[in-house]
Amino acid sequence: MMKDSLTLLSRIPAHPDSRCWFLAWNPTGSLLASCGGDCSIRIWGKEGDTWVCKSVLGEGHQRTIRKVAWSPCGNYLASASFDATTCIWKKNHEDFECAATLEGHENEVKSVSWAPSGSLLATCSRDKTVWVWEVDEEDEYECMSVLNSHTQDVKHVVWHPNQELLASASYDDTVKLYREEEDDWVCFTTLEGHESTVWSLAFDHSGERLASCSDDKTVRIWRQYKPGNEQGVVCNGTDPTWKCICTLSGFHTRTIYDVAWCQLTGALATACGDDAIRIFEEELHSDPHQPTFTLTVHMARAHSQDVNCVAWNPKEPGLLASCSDDGEMAFWKYQRPEVC
Amino acid sequence: MLSLGLLWRALSSGGHEAREKEDDQQAHHRPEAPSRTAAAAMEQERALEVYDIIRTIRDPEKPNTLEELDVVTESCVEVHEIGEDEYLVTIRFTPTVPHCSLATLIGLCLRIKLQRCLPFKHKLEIYISEGAHSTEEDINKQINDKERVAAAMENPHLREIVEQCVLDPD
């Protein structure tokens, strides 16, 4: 049962002879952007039953492209590269043109994320900083803040789905949350608990919970508690407290590189260095402040090497994309098991 | 690499209870013994394959191989089967000098050469042997972070050094 719930739809050599590091669905779920160690971005679209490469964006970066992110309107794609720059690509029908190159980080850019408003962008780097950029009506990008809170390499940044809140994950084993204060951004809390590098983050659909995954082989679920909350969780002034309400341990045998929370169904998928994809579901009558997550899928050998990324399609429930160090990309269909 | 049986004997306090347990285990597992021995033999063979690849890596500073400098030895390689035809390879090396960047560089060379040359399916962990360095935890974390390793190999200067070190002798 744990295996049949996830069916392989197709497997594609997205970045042959290289590593596929990351995948991102566009907001309508019709296109998938992949990026990798061959310094290129590929845009994939479905033609009938097959996924076809629609464009190759190979001229923007000189080194590995680690992550890509679509703007909320779907007209722009940002790429974060080891060459220390972030490229902003503008979509023009089937073509993409490099509209801007954001410079400033001292070394590899590890992640880029677009705020839901579309007017803010965040990047992070091995230089330990998180940068917040402002986009104006003329597509001009300006650095608004340089955040120096982490003490090591910052691996991932992601915006809250409906609040002006930013989260970052780091090699320093922590997760930090930031909010706007006057014309600047400040870190208002640090989530501690992981025992090694935190590789990725994912908010749930409501934004009330945050999932983090780590080299310590666990996934942690954090919940937001606002001042005056009924559970009696202590808050610092007007800032909410984020408390760890669940730890998924004993399931993964190696580093967990990515976690993805399906915005449609609530299913949680993980990408692991043991070549497997796992999916967890919250038990139906679970206490929201002490939830139980059950493993519904353990797809061993999902890829022939480390799985680097898992991404749920934003419009089609159960459609999951994954990619690996072996350069391949795979598409899966997930069906939640009956009794869970 | 010691077989499990030898290791047990070497570690046990020699107490009565321990010995009895061991005899029990041997009695219960006797029918399985042949496959366990075969697995251990395969692991040992794999360990030698690994060692054969790493012993000729040149030290970044000195005109000697890692074997000549005792940075790696046969016993510093551990191999365990973790799946069907898949092995976890663990290497504990001893850098010659307590210099951070040199130790990291050696770790990088070990990883790159094995990534390229090891023919069997494996997961690799590289560590500085315990007590061999003051900041060993920091170094171990870096050399086992594949993203950091990948980025380092895109640095032309570092790449050049690594390529020189892993170049196979004629």
Side-chain angles (χ1 to χ4, degrees):
Chain A
M1 179 168 82
M2 291 217 295
K3 220 175 168 175
D4 295 329
S5 310
L6 191 70
T7 325
L8 177 70
L9 298 172
S10 61
R11 206 183 275 287
I12 295 169
H15 294 265
D17 301 322
S18 189
R19 228 173 198 142
C20 185
W21 276 112
F22 202 73
L23 301 170
W25 292 101
N26 69 343
T28 59
S30 61
L31 297 174
L32 183 68
S34 68
C35 62
D38 61 3
C39 314
S40 78
I41 298 163
R42 280 158 199 256
I43 311 293
W44 305 85
K46 204 155 184 209
E47 267 170 33
D49 272 335
T50 14
W51 287 89
V52 169
C53 181
K54 302 280 200 173
S55 307
V56 179
L57 280 49
E59 304 299 308
H61 293 288
Q62 316 311 315
R63 296 198 187 177
T64 286
I65 300 173
R66 182 60 180 92
K67 295 207 178 93
V68 281
W70 294 88
S71 63
C73 64
N75 295 323
Y76 298 88
L77 184 69
S79 56
S81 170
F82 285 0
D83 69 9
T85 73
T86 304
C87 259
I88 309 294
W89 305 83
K90 186 164 184 183
K91 188 173 186 289
N92 185 6
H93 301 293
E94 302 251 301
D95 288 317
F96 284 81
E97 208 179 62
C98 183
T101 302
L102 310 183
E103 293 174 342
H105 278 298
E106 282 172 25
N107 46 51
E108 303 92 66
V109 188
K110 303 291 178 90
S111 181
V112 59
S113 180
W114 238 294
S117 64
S119 53
L120 292 175
L121 194 69
T123 57
C124 66
S125 159
R126 177 167 64 87
D127 68 11
K128 305 173 197 168
T129 66
V130 171
W131 289 43
V132 179
W133 307 77
E134 253 180 330
V135 193
D136 69 19
E137 309 83 40
E138 270 115 58
D139 282 356
E140 292 288 315
Y141 295 78
E142 205 182 286
C143 174
M144 193 186 161
S145 291
V146 174
L147 305 164
N148 265 301
S149 307
H150 280 295
T151 56
Q152 296 273 6
D153 184 6
V154 190
K155 301 294 199 186
H156 198 77
V157 273
V158 68
W159 289 92
H160 193 278
N162 53 55
Q163 287 173 44
E164 286 261 293
L165 195 157
L166 181 65
S168 64
S170 167
Y171 183 101
D172 69 12
D173 308 351
T174 74
V175 172
K176 285 181 184 278
L177 301 179
Y178 313 83
R179 61 166 167 74
E180 200 173 352
E181 193 171 78
E182 277 149 30
D183 255 335
D184 207 358
W185 284 79
V186 293
C187 170
F188 69 89
T189 191
T190 301
L191 310 186
E192 290 172 338
H194 278 298
E195 293 168 7
S196 190
T197 300
V198 187
W199 279 95
S200 192
L201 300 165
F203 281 102
D204 73 352
H205 169 68
S206 68
E208 288 301 307
R209 293 175 307 177
L210 175 66
S212 59
C213 65
S214 165
D215 176 60
D216 69 7
K217 305 171 197 154
T218 72
V219 169
R220 281 174 182 255
I221 313 288
W222 312 81
R223 192 187 187 87
Q224 180 177 224
Y225 290 90
K226 295 194 168 139
N229 63 80
E230 277 174 29
Q231 289 69 36
V233 176
V234 180
C235 293
N236 187 7
T238 51
D239 285 325
T241 295
W242 286 76
K243 188 179 150 204
C244 182
I245 57 169
C246 181
T247 303
L248 303 177
S249 57
F251 297 100
H252 301 81
T253 64
R254 296 194 71 75
T255 306
I256 310 169
Y257 291 108
D258 198 21
V259 61
W261 215 325
C262 183
Q263 307 292 285
L264 303 171
T265 70
L268 203 62
T270 60
C272 189
D274 62 8
D275 313 349
I277 290 173
R278 290 171 180 80
I279 299 178
F280 298 85
E281 294 263 21
E282 193 175 352
E283 248 167 56
L284 291 171
H285 301 293
S286 180
D287 176 356
H289 305 284
Q290 261 191 311
T292 314
F293 281 81
T294 321
L295 178 74
T296 58
V297 169
H298 174 190
M299 180 58 75
R301 289 162 191 244
H303 288 277
S304 66
Q305 287 180 48
D306 291 6
V307 190
N308 292 322
C309 180
V310 273
W312 293 104
N313 185 290
K315 297 295 177 198
E316 193 181 322
L319 177 58
L320 182 73
S322 63
C323 70
S324 165
D325 273 354
D326 65 11
E328 286 191 349
M329 196 169 68
F331 294 91
W332 311 83
K333 183 72 191 172
Y334 170 66
Q335 203 109 30
R336 184 185 176 138
E338 298 276 298
V339 186
C340 177
Chain B
M1 196 185 98
L2 299 174
S3 76
L4 283 174
L6 281 171
L7 196 61
W8 175 267
R9 265 183 279 264
L11 289 175
S12 87
S13 59
H16 201 59
E17 202 185 331
R19 220 177 294 128
E20 264 182 42
K21 245 194 199 153
E22 196 196 295
D23 288 341
D24 264 344
Q25 276 188 350
Q26 285 196 332
H28 286 303
H29 291 276
R30 205 171 288 136
E32 289 177 69
S35 67
R36 275 171 62 83
T37 317
M42 183 54 109
E43 287 173 350
Q44 216 149 346
E45 203 179 295
R46 295 297 193 206
L48 288 175
E49 264 183 81
V50 171
Y51 185 66
D52 248 339
I53 292 168
I54 65 175
R55 49 184 273 268
T56 55
I57 295 173
R58 264 179 291 288
D59 181 88
E61 283 206 327
K62 303 183 174 140
N64 299 99
T65 65
L66 297 186
E67 177 174 47
E68 283 163 3
L69 298 168
D70 273 327
V71 171
V72 298
T73 59
E74 237 178 75
S75 59
C76 87
V77 179
E78 254 182 62
V79 173
H80 290 295
E81 191 170 14
I82 52 174
E84 211 182 295
D85 268 335
E86 189 178 358
Y87 300 86
L88 171 63
V89 176
T90 309
I91 298 174
R92 280 173 224 280
F93 72 97
T94 313
T96 47
V97 277
H99 197 292
C100 246
S101 52
L102 213 52
T104 316
L105 206 43
I106 293 174
L108 197 57
C109 291
L110 287 164
R111 189 164 282 279
I112 295 303
K113 190 155 190 208
L114 287 169
Q115 210 167 276
R116 291 178 185 174
C117 304
L118 208 49
F120 57 85
K121 186 150 174 21
H122 65 278
K123 295 292 181 190
L124 179 60
E125 285 175 15
I126 302 174
Y127 302 104
I128 294 197
S129 57
E130 245 174 83
H133 204 289
S134 53
T135 56
E136 67 192 49
E137 263 177 49
D138 295 338
I139 297 171
N140 287 336
K141 195 172 184 180
Q142 259 192 82
I143 59 188
N144 287 298
D145 180 319
K146 73 178 188 190
E147 190 186 70
R148 295 284 280 259
V149 168
M153 285 304 283
E154 289 189 345
N155 173 319
H157 175 63
L158 275 176
R159 195 196 173 105
E160 181 56 38
I161 300 176
V162 173
E163 296 292 2
Q164 285 304 310
C165 292
V166 305
L167 199 60
D168 260 318
D170 280 326

